[in-house]
Amino acid sequence: MIKNNSIEEIKTNGYCAGCGLCVSVAEKSHIKMQINASGYLRPVAKQVLSSEIEKSINEVCPGVHIQHPAGFEKLSYYMGAVS
């Protein structure tokens, strides 16, 4: 069984791009988008999210699915692999 990342894990690991897809999946009653201290838009859970909602978020979250091609040593946080 694959473990789903929580909203906090996604943010802590730097996966969150602030796109808001998690709000679309979980509905505004569960998550809101808020500007953090660094000035970035990030999700904040309003209540404990069920494992079903976390699974749905993990299925659509672009940050969770980022993969870089093998063989690239230079990676840009914003652009990915750089030659």
Side-chain angles (χ1 to χ4, degrees):
M1 184 162 116
I2 297 173
K3 179 189 175 295
N4 290 318
N5 293 292
S6 70
I7 292 289
E8 289 306 315
E9 289 172 317
I10 291 169
K11 292 188 302 186
T12 300
N13 290 322
Y15 302 150
C16 182
C19 69
L21 280 173
C22 53
V23 177
S24 298
V25 169
E27 300 181 9
K28 291 182 180 179
S29 61
H30 292 82
I31 300 174
K32 66 179 179 177
M33 296 301 286
Q34 184 172 310
I35 296 176
N36 67 12
S38 299
Y40 296 104
L41 197 58
R42 295 294 181 253
V44 176
K46 293 181 176 181
Q47 59 190 34
V48 176
L49 302 177
S50 70
S51 59
E52 184 177 309
I53 290 174
E54 284 187 347
K55 180 182 177 191
S56 296
I57 291 169
N58 277 260
E59 288 173 354
V60 301
C61 179
V64 173
H65 299 283
I66 293 173
Q67 294 181 350
H68 297 289
F72 282 91
E73 293 184 21
K74 291 176 70 178
L75 297 174
S76 164
Y77 181 76
Y78 300 102
M79 308 261 314
V82 179
S83 56

